[in-house]
Amino acid sequence: MNTLPLPSEKLNVDVVVKELFDGHCVAYPVANPTLVSHGTVKAALDEVQTFLEAYLRRVDPEVLGRFSLPPGITLVDVDVKVRLTHVPRGLYNTPTMTMPCVLLPAHKARWVMILPLQHTFYVKDDDDLDEAIAEEAHRVWVATEPEPWDALTLLPGRRHRIERLSIDLKSSKDS
């Protein structure tokens, strides 16, 4: 358990909200998409908040630091042509999937997180962002040698956005 004093009692954590077509959503921290919650928007965000308040109070500082992202992150949707390897080339045109990506500012560049692929890479400011994302997404997708059902992970939601949650790192017994 972390016994070091925390520099702040609050931590702002960026959470992706993927609204589904049935009115529900999935919500998860940008820093760790495996910590996912499903339900109405309010219920999913409340659950992520409650979980993170308990979880982040007991993690090591290096894990805690991963949840503190720089200000100015943005979410963009990029259309990417995805080759479905299980379908013969002559039977269809390569479908285009909309992939939500988080952009993290860096000095004269950006880190890009392709959310459906859980992949992060670096793009210089003078590179074409959409082209770089499309090429990297294609490269990563083909390299994974996906099975037919893996394509379901690429399906976008109705809408994506980022919510910033203020996580209380001080437990009630610390008061």
Side-chain angles (χ1 to χ4, degrees):
M1 178 157 166
N2 180 11
T3 58
L4 297 173
L6 296 170
S8 172
E9 294 178 3
K10 298 276 187 185
L11 177 69
N12 289 326
V13 175
D14 294 300
V15 174
V16 173
V17 177
K18 176 181 178 180
E19 295 179 24
L20 305 175
F21 292 95
D22 67 356
H24 288 89
C25 79
V26 293
Y28 54 88
V30 171
N32 189 340
T34 64
L35 305 177
V36 67
S37 180
H38 176 268
T40 65
V41 173
K42 181 178 179 351
L45 287 173
D46 287 348
E47 187 173 1
V48 169
Q49 173 124 20
T50 301
F51 172 79
L52 288 176
E53 286 179 347
Y55 175 68
L56 294 176
R57 287 177 185 149
R58 60 182 170 76
V59 297
D60 291 329
E62 61 270 9
V63 174
L64 184 64
R66 291 183 200 137
F67 285 83
S68 179
L69 298 176
I73 74 167
T74 56
L75 185 107
V76 297
D77 289 326
V78 178
D79 291 333
V80 176
K81 289 195 177 278
V82 178
R83 169 83 175 104
L84 301 176
T85 56
H86 60 282
V87 178
R89 287 183 192 264
L91 294 181
Y92 76 103
N93 292 328
T94 303
T96 299
M97 301 278 192
T98 300
M99 293 196 184
C101 300
V102 173
L103 306 179
L104 297 131
H107 181 69
K108 296 185 179 181
R110 291 169 279 211
W111 286 99
V112 176
M113 301 171 74
I114 305 173
L115 297 176
L117 299 176
Q118 295 185 15
H119 178 70
T120 303
F121 70 105
Y122 185 80
V123 179
K124 295 178 186 170
D125 271 346
D126 56 350
D127 291 344
D128 181 274
L129 184 64
D130 288 352
E131 184 178 316
I133 292 171
E135 288 175 5
E136 187 71 5
H138 176 75
R139 185 190 69 76
V140 170
W141 177 250
V142 171
T144 62
E145 298 180 355
E147 295 294 328
W149 52 84
D150 292 333
L152 295 175
T153 65
L154 301 180
L155 295 176
R158 185 168 50 98
R159 181 176 30 245
H160 299 83
R161 69 177 189 275
I162 294 177
E163 294 277 339
R164 179 161 273 196
L165 300 179
S166 180
I167 305 299
D168 185 4
L169 298 175
K170 187 174 182 181
S171 68
S172 57
K173 64 183 175 187
D174 292 340
S175 300

